[in-house]
Amino acid sequence: DTGVSQNPRHKITKRGQNVTFRCDPISEHNRLYWYRQTLGQGPEFLTYFQNEAQLEKSRLLSDRFSAERPKGSFSTLEIQRTEQGDSAMYLCASSEPLDLLAKNIQYFGAGTRLSVL
Amino acid sequence: RKEVEQDPGPFNVPEGATVAFNCTYSNSASQSFFWYRQDCRKEPKLLMSVYSSGNEDGRFTAQLNRASQYISLLIRDSKLSDSATYLCVVRENYGGSQGNLIFGKGTKLSVKP
């Protein structure tokens, strides 16, 4: 499978615990995005990387959230001291380099569904 | 005002019907527009890009009106398999927010036999 891969698919945790999710993008894609989606809403942008550089973070990304992409390949999203409001689907997407000619289509992984009890 | 607005539906239509979804966006400088499809508890998948001249892909036709900041999707001869949530998506300025996608809440379509 050469698509975007996310692990784990599901995570159940107790409030206050830390969780980490992993995303493996399509191999030739240098851009990687994280989104959060709650029931009845569209995905909301959290942050994105170009290679290993984190270039933008949404105001939704509180101090308890941190994302890394150390080698410019896979990325991790960590949530510290989880709260019930963190329960959501966390989606990762990747795309080719952005230029004027590229459509910059973002391809999504299947997501990690987080439930905070 | 929400950046991308859609009627959430649900739209319940019989097989073979023609159905149209509309979407408005607030950022007049937005560069690119898309329709994504999302099945229940699955990831969004690109249905089609939307071009100023309008574009068609089989039973699906997308239109963009930049003056009115309005995007539409028309599905003809709807199939049971078209049942899904359709997300209107706008990409922010190239060189500004670097390609971040802004999603609407989605319009739910249910095609009945």
Side-chain angles (χ1 to χ4, degrees), chain B residues 96-108:
Chain B
S97 292
Q98 303 293 320
N100 301 336
L101 298 182
I102 308 298
F103 286 79
K105 289 185 177 183
T107 298
K108 187 172 182 179

Side-chain angles (χ1 to χ4, degrees), chain A residues 9-10 31 33 35 37 39-45 48 50 55-56 89 91 98-100 102-111 113, chain B residues 2-3 31-32 34 36 38 40-46 49 51 87 91-106:
Chain A
R9 292 293 307 277
H10 304 276
R31 288 177 164 248
Y33 306 80
Y35 293 84
Q37 186 174 24
L39 196 62
Q41 303 293 319
E44 295 174 293
F45 169 76
Y48 95 99
Q50 181 168 299
L55 296 186
E56 189 166 343
M89 173 77 89
L91 292 161
L98 179 66
D99 62 47
L100 290 175
K103 294 181 181 178
N104 187 234
I105 303 301
Q106 294 187 21
Y107 297 89
F108 284 81
R113 185 171 296 280
Chain B
K2 297 287 282 184
E3 294 185 72
Q31 292 287 328
S32 304
F34 309 92
Y36 274 71
Q38 187 171 27
C40 187
R41 304 182 82 84
K42 300 283 190 180
E43 73 273 24
K45 292 184 178 178
L46 178 69
S49 301
Y51 304 119
L87 298 162
R91 179 162 65 86
E92 295 187 324
N93 297 3
Y94 170 72
S97 292
Q98 303 293 320
N100 301 336
L101 298 182
I102 308 298
F103 286 79
K105 289 185 177 183

Side-chain angles (χ1 to χ4, degrees), chain A residues 53-73:
Chain A
Q54 188 173 17
L55 296 186
E56 189 166 343
K57 293 192 287 187
S58 161
R59 58 180 171 76
L60 294 176
L61 211 67
S62 77
D63 291 344
R64 296 184 297 105
F65 288 68
S66 62
E68 294 182 345
R69 195 182 182 196
K71 298 181 180 178
S73 56

Side-chain angles (χ1 to χ4, degrees), chain A:
Chain A
D1 186 357
T2 56
V4 178
S5 176
Q6 290 189 247
N7 289 288
R9 292 293 307 277
H10 304 276
K11 179 70 177 178
I12 300 174
T13 191
K14 292 182 179 178
R15 189 175 52 188
Q17 297 295 304
N18 299 344
V19 294
T20 301
F21 311 141
R22 175 176 170 133
C23 172
D24 288 86
I26 294 171
S27 58
E28 61 268 26
H29 287 182
N30 72 336
R31 288 177 164 248
L32 186 149
Y33 306 80
W34 285 99
Y35 293 84
R36 182 177 72 183
Q37 186 174 24
T38 54
L39 196 62
Q41 303 293 319
E44 295 174 293
F45 169 76
L46 292 177
T47 188
Y48 95 99
F49 292 83
Q50 181 168 299
N51 300 312
E52 66 276 7
Q54 188 173 17
L55 296 186
E56 189 166 343
K57 293 192 287 187
S58 161
R59 58 180 171 76
L60 294 176
L61 211 67
S62 77
D63 291 344
R64 296 184 297 105
F65 288 68
S66 62
E68 294 182 345
R69 195 182 182 196
K71 298 181 180 178
S73 56
F74 73 91
S75 175
T76 58
L77 177 68
E78 181 182 17
I79 308 174
Q80 296 181 326
R81 304 181 304 282
T82 52
E83 301 173 357
Q84 288 184 322
D86 297 332
S87 296
M89 173 77 89
Y90 289 84
L91 292 161
C92 176
S94 70
S95 70
E96 295 175 335
L98 179 66
D99 62 47
L100 290 175
L101 298 178
K103 294 181 181 178
N104 187 234
I105 303 301
Q106 294 187 21
Y107 297 89
F108 284 81
T112 295
R113 185 171 296 280
L114 174 66
S115 298
V116 182
L117 304 179

Side-chain angles (χ1 to χ4, degrees), chain B residues 8-39:
Chain B
F11 284 61
N12 297 307
V13 303
E15 268 188 294
T18 295
V19 61
F21 305 139
N22 304 318
C23 164
T24 57
Y25 60 95
S26 60
N27 185 349
S28 60
S30 297
Q31 292 287 328
S32 304
F33 309 90
F34 309 92
W35 284 100
Y36 274 71
R37 170 193 169 129
Q38 187 171 27
D39 293 289

